[in-house]
Amino acid sequence: QVQLLESGGGLVQAGDSLRLSCAASGRAFSGYNGGWFRQAPGKEREFVAGITSSAGRIYYMDSVKGRFTISRDNSKNTVYLQMNSLKPEDTAVYYCAVNFDFGKVPHVRPGYWGQGTQVTVSS
């Protein structure tokens, strides 16, 4: 069993940066692929970024390439999402998730989810 807790969301202006953190409990974390999803009001949840357990492979959705960076520190059981040059269209609830088949990216079905953290970008 893995529990995930996101932090780092908030209200920022367009062009600002935020770093989201996802702290995991459970010894199995280092063996899981991890990622970040987001869901804006009235829209479907979308897979923003993913990273394999060893950080050897990384995925980004097209609209965040060059602006967002996913990373992980297995010694701290934490996955990060550095978000730069934020845009109003990045406004959403961001969810951390782990334990999915990286071969199915972006159509993954994680086994564990965090509760989400709100990111709001004003213009």
Side-chain angles (χ1 to χ4, degrees), residues 36-51:
W36 291 90
F37 291 72
R38 70 185 183 187
Q39 187 166 21
K43 296 188 177 181
E44 293 187 354
R45 186 173 297 187
E46 53 188 4
F47 187 44
V48 177
I51 187 168

Side-chain angles (χ1 to χ4, degrees), residues 2-14:
V2 175
Q3 293 184 324
L4 305 173
L5 182 63
E6 302 100 332
S7 62
L11 172 63
V12 297
Q13 294 186 331

